Amino acid sequence: FPMGEDPLRPATVFIYYPADYLLPGGTILAPEFGIFQSTTALKRANFVNQMVFSNVPTGANNPNGTAIDLSKLTILAANPNALVQELSHLLMHDSMSPATQTQVLNAVNAVAASNPMLRAQTALYLVASSSQYQVAR
């Protein structure tokens, strides 16, 4: 994968996080920040795009046929508010900010209602690649 991680086979029991990573300039252990840098932020957005609009590419170390089932989100696409609320619930434990909800809702509404798959994909991509999704609260 372009992110340098095999999502179904982590290298250690610490998954992908270096267990001894310290926040720069401090003494606080923060393993989750050991894998997040400016370049990985872009790689994550690209990976989310690939997963939402395509699937995991096949290859020697990649599981064949892995894709996201968007059927439940596609059903909600006729009601953009419900779609955004469901993604907030599923991916962000209902903590999506009102500003982010509005931005995602505007983007979904810009997609023709006759294309529910693209509406679902757009919403999922925007939420899963958002900075709010990247931060565990």
Side-chain angles (χ1 to χ4, degrees):
F1 288 109
M3 293 192 319
E5 302 169 352
D6 185 342
L8 301 177
R9 286 184 287 206
T12 73
V13 295
F14 296 107
I15 313 296
Y16 307 102
Y17 305 108
D20 58 350
Y21 184 82
L22 297 173
L23 282 177
T27 59
I28 298 173
L29 284 174
E32 63 277 13
F33 288 100
I35 64 168
F36 194 73
Q37 302 148 4
S38 56
T39 55
T40 55
L42 292 173
K43 287 180 180 181
R44 285 182 183 193
N46 289 336
F47 178 75
V48 170
N49 182 286
Q50 181 178 9
M51 288 302 299
V52 170
F53 292 98
S54 181
N55 56 29
V56 173
T58 59
N61 294 319
N62 299 343
N64 294 328
T66 301
I68 298 173
D69 179 1
L70 295 172
S71 58
K72 291 180 182 178
L73 297 178
T74 303
I75 291 168
L76 293 174
N79 182 344
N81 284 316
L83 174 61
V84 173
Q85 287 301 314
E86 181 69 5
L87 287 169
S88 177
H89 178 71
L90 290 173
L91 299 179
M92 302 172 101
H93 306 288
D94 295 315
S95 67
M96 189 185 305
S97 73
T100 299
Q101 288 181 30
T102 298
Q103 291 173 338
V104 175
L105 187 59
N106 289 342
V108 170
N109 282 323
V111 176
S114 61
N115 194 343
M117 176 62 83
L118 184 57
R119 279 183 155 202
Q121 289 170 314
T122 299
L124 178 57
Y125 171 76
L126 291 173
V127 172
S129 64
S130 72
S131 59
Q132 288 182 12
Y133 179 73
Q134 302 298 319
V135 177
R137 295 180 188 207

